[in-house]
Amino acid sequence: MNFRIFIGEAQTAIDEKGRTAFPRDFRRQLSDGERENLVVTKGPEGSLRLFVFSEFEKFMAELDSMRDRRLAELVRGNLSMQLVNLDGQSRILLPKKLLQIAGLENEILWIPARGKTLALWKPETFNAKIRQNTIDADAMFDSVFYGSGLTEGSNGNA
């Protein structure tokens, strides 16, 4: 099966050298060509982003097409992008600089992002910033998920 997006969620440990297992469920969603070159960058809100190379090329093309050239150069200059590969044990080595940027020390939470991209989070940071279990956060989720016709049709009815 040729996946265009990642599906699932995983949590893995980081060893003292900055290596972490690429989660098995996500590995199964990679084509043979996608295993060779992955790109890890600084992501939004204290996360990292891991792109399959073709998705990274799309991202960079979008940056190049931005009208605000100064903003595009600012983003490009702050990505701290690095090419990474799966080793023989299906691990990737994350650069120390990127680990520090995201505050990653012991564990990584892997969350699908846009397209064939994964967001890598410190679990506590993700839970505090994104997975807010509050009445307001739940209402916002319901409004987007159910109220915009994403799952229930254009009027929100089942």
Side-chain angles (χ1 to χ4, degrees), residues 34-158:
E34 292 171 337
R35 294 171 184 268
E36 297 302 314
N37 294 310
L38 302 166
V39 178
V40 64
T41 70
K42 177 181 175 183
E45 299 190 68
S47 68
L48 300 181
R49 285 295 162 99
L50 185 80
F51 297 83
V52 300
F53 195 76
S54 60
E55 198 70 38
F56 183 69
E57 288 178 316
K58 289 179 197 174
F59 175 73
M60 295 305 284
E62 288 176 17
L63 272 181
D64 290 343
S65 68
M66 287 178 66
R67 290 181 192 227
D68 188 337
R69 300 302 310 149
R70 186 167 164 77
L71 180 59
E73 289 302 317
L74 177 71
V75 171
R76 184 185 297 269
N78 283 286
L79 284 175
S80 299
M81 56 188 127
Q82 295 287 319
L83 194 62
V84 296
N85 297 303
L86 293 177
D87 68 12
Q89 296 177 337
S90 298
R91 298 174 302 188
I92 59 172
L93 175 63
L94 296 170
K96 295 228 183 274
K97 178 181 179 182
L98 289 173
L99 290 171
Q100 290 170 346
I101 286 171
L104 294 168
E105 297 167 340
N106 301 317
E107 292 185 309
I108 296 176
L109 180 62
W110 304 67
I111 302 290
R114 188 180 112 191
K116 204 82 177 268
T117 305
L118 292 162
L120 309 181
W121 288 90
K122 181 176 186 175
E124 298 83 5
T125 303
F126 180 81
N127 289 332
K129 289 186 176 188
I130 307 298
R131 193 175 279 157
Q132 301 172 7
N133 293 321
T134 65
I135 292 171
D136 289 340
D138 288 345
M140 192 177 347
F141 174 85
D142 289 349
S143 170
V144 171
F145 193 77
Y146 296 114
S148 299
L150 293 176
T151 60
E152 305 297 326
S154 60
N155 64 3
N157 295 326

